[in-house]
Amino acid sequence: MNEWRYLPAGKIARQRREVVRLESGVQYRTMGVRWYGKGAYDRGVATTETVKAKVLYRARQGDFTFNRIDTQKGAFDVVAAGLDGALATNEFPLYEVDPEQMDANFLILHFQQPDVLRRIGAVRAGSEGRARWKEDDFEAWTVPVPPLDVQARIIEVVRAVDKQIAALDAEATALTAVLRCFRAHLITGLDTPVVRADQAFEITMGRQRAPKYAAGPYMTPYLRSANVGYGALNLSDVLEMNFDPTEREVFGLVPGDVLVSEGSASHSAVGMSAMWRGELPEPICFQKTLMRFRAIRGVSIPAFVNHWCQWAYESGTFLDIAGGTNIKHITAMRAVRMPVQLPDVATQEQIADQLDAVSDVVVAARAEALRLRSLRLGLLSGLLDRTIEIESAG
């Protein structure tokens, strides 16, 4: 295999400073770089009244750029044609990459590696919350420089995986839109009796968090609003507090319970719900930032409760009943009075079976995309540390 070199980034990239001095009354198009690999984006129009800087720098297509703030969150990109000519502050330094040594898109791949981002996080300079990875840090950073034809082949392989991930994401998004429409039709389109929510479901508010529960003989994992996403639970960060045996009975979760986010500063999160499926060992409880919707035997079934709560979130019904100005709260008092079109149990089962079938396809597409993202990380790491050998594109 051809020889790889390892050079400071400053040897293959040169900072380009095309200075633009802002003038009063003139509008300027600006750009920035988002975290988490979301890349460069149009920040809109700026004037001397909306930006503090008196000098900005003009970006050109093909420039390598990054966000100096929280760089460890993956804020790197190559300026696309659509941003050619946009202006950037000094928080987004711009570099011309020597095309005889490196493809700027290959440099992006190096900075997408989790281990590289962790190391960047360890060396950033500055006060907490404003730490930066500056130009000197970038220029001193050692990067692999394989022959250009090998770079091209690696870019080609990784892009093939990215293309498949994008296709799966698009499929899941389209299927989710279909599911939402189908769910609204089945939940609201039947000629069924309307009852209060507390006649259809058992609705319970979680236990208030307080310092006195921070320690005790019955420390118990509990879920909070941060654990509830759109139709899915995030169990990567589950906290504990003391729930005595009686409280465990009252606030304990059983498979089939549906957790609804009771309030949030973000209106898009109010009423977000997900079903508890027994993912963690019992006992596990829930905090007051959540409400528990539980099926009533002979009246409702868990799968219908789950889809009803999903519909109430998607339709904005939960948000409509929420009180408050900046931080919206549903509260159990409001939730129990919500009208529910409640079919008989047999019809609920039919509705749930149809919706679950579509939901399963959505989940499968998202799971496959997640699997490919994991595979991509391993592939990228192997290609760049040369544990996976690859020949040139030719």
Side-chain angles (χ1 to χ4, degrees):
M1 184 150 182
N2 294 330
E3 190 64 32
W4 289 42
R5 295 176 296 155
Y6 295 86
L7 299 174
K11 294 292 186 182
I12 53 93
R14 178 179 62 85
Q15 188 171 12
R16 191 175 56 72
R17 292 175 173 269
E18 187 177 336
V19 175
V20 176
R21 299 189 182 280
L22 304 191
E23 298 179 9
S24 179
V26 178
Q27 294 185 332
Y28 300 90
R29 182 177 171 225
T30 61
M31 59 150 283
V33 185
R34 291 190 176 97
W35 301 341
Y36 307 120
K38 294 182 179 179
Y41 71 104
D42 190 329
R43 299 182 77 185
V45 172
T47 67
T48 54
E49 295 179 353
T50 60
V51 294
K52 294 180 180 179
K54 301 302 181 185
V55 170
L56 296 180
Y57 304 93
R58 193 174 302 281
R60 294 300 181 186
Q61 180 181 355
D63 284 350
F64 179 85
T65 185
F66 59 91
N67 186 338
R68 301 195 311 171
I69 301 175
D70 292 332
T71 321
Q72 83 285 2
K73 294 181 180 178
F76 295 89
D77 203 7
V78 174
V79 175
L83 290 172
D84 184 60
L87 305 185
T89 70
N90 63 353
E91 296 293 5
F92 309 103
L94 301 160
Y95 282 84
E96 289 181 299
V97 178
D98 182 355
E100 295 185 0
Q101 297 192 75
M102 179 168 284
D103 186 320
N105 291 294
F106 180 82
L107 190 56
I108 287 290
L109 296 182
H110 171 74
F111 287 108
Q112 288 179 350
Q113 297 177 92
D115 181 61
V116 170
L117 296 178
R118 281 192 293 270
R119 288 191 285 127
I120 287 173
V123 300
R124 291 181 310 143
S127 60
E128 186 63 29
R130 302 301 294 173
R132 286 167 169 78
W133 196 66
K134 299 181 180 180
E135 291 87 337
D136 287 348
D137 299 313
F138 166 70
E139 292 170 16
W141 195 265
T142 300
V143 296
V145 187
L148 287 172
D149 55 356
V150 175
Q151 293 180 37
R153 179 60 177 151
I154 290 174
I155 292 169
E156 178 187 11
V157 169
V158 175
R159 280 182 174 170
V161 178
D162 288 341
K163 184 177 179 180
Q164 185 61 29
I165 291 171
L168 286 166
D169 285 341
E171 178 185 355
T173 299
L175 286 169
T176 298
V178 171
L179 175 60
R180 291 175 67 137
C181 290
F182 194 30
R183 184 150 45 210
H185 171 69
L186 292 182
I187 294 293
T188 64
L190 296 176
D191 184 15
T192 57
V194 176
V195 300
R196 276 175 46 129
D198 58 353
Q199 294 177 290
F201 322 122
E202 177 190 304
I203 302 173
T204 304
M205 185 72 74
R207 213 270 306 275
Q208 179 70 50
R209 184 181 178 186
K212 64 181 179 180
Y213 301 129
Y218 301 104
M219 296 302 289
T220 307
Y222 70 93
L223 301 187
R224 63 201 196 281
S225 58
N227 300 117
V228 176
Y230 177 32
L233 294 173
N234 178 0
L235 303 177
S236 61
D237 182 24
V238 176
L239 306 181
E240 291 189 350
M241 62 178 165
N242 193 65
F243 288 82
D244 66 32
T246 300
E247 291 171 322
R248 286 179 175 180
E249 287 292 325
V250 174
F251 300 108
L253 298 176
V254 298
D257 286 346
V258 179
L259 294 168
V260 175
S261 182
E262 183 270 337
S264 176
S266 170
H267 290 188
S268 64
V270 175
M272 197 172 281
S273 68
M275 179 183 278
W276 171 251
R277 303 178 189 273
E279 292 91 336
L280 299 175
E282 294 182 9
I284 184 158
C285 298
F286 66 108
Q287 188 194 358
K288 192 177 179 180
T289 55
L290 297 174
M291 292 184 296
R292 181 186 64 199
F293 281 61
R294 176 177 287 176
I296 299 174
R297 184 182 296 275
V299 175
S300 54
I301 63 171
F304 180 81
V305 178
N306 182 41
H307 286 293
W308 188 90
C309 289
Q310 289 288 298
W311 164 80
Y313 169 69
E314 293 165 351
S315 65
T317 302
F318 274 139
L319 183 59
D320 287 344
I321 68 164
T325 304
N326 295 324
I327 299 180
K328 291 284 189 178
H329 291 279
I330 298 172
T331 75
M333 188 69 72
R334 294 187 179 96
V336 299
R337 296 196 297 265
M338 295 176 71
V340 177
Q341 289 180 254
L342 186 68
D344 58 56
V345 169
T347 304
Q348 290 179 43
E349 290 173 344
Q350 294 173 4
I351 290 172
D353 286 345
Q354 294 178 72
L355 293 175
D356 282 346
V358 183
S359 295
D360 289 346
V361 178
V362 174
V363 170
R366 295 202 185 283
E368 180 63 11
L370 185 63
R371 186 190 70 81
L372 277 182
R373 284 187 170 87
S374 177
L375 180 149
R376 182 191 189 277
L377 289 176
L379 175 65
L380 182 59
S381 176
L383 290 171
L384 296 188
D385 68 15
R386 305 181 69 184
T387 56
I388 298 175
E389 292 288 347
I390 191 167
E391 297 301 328
S392 67

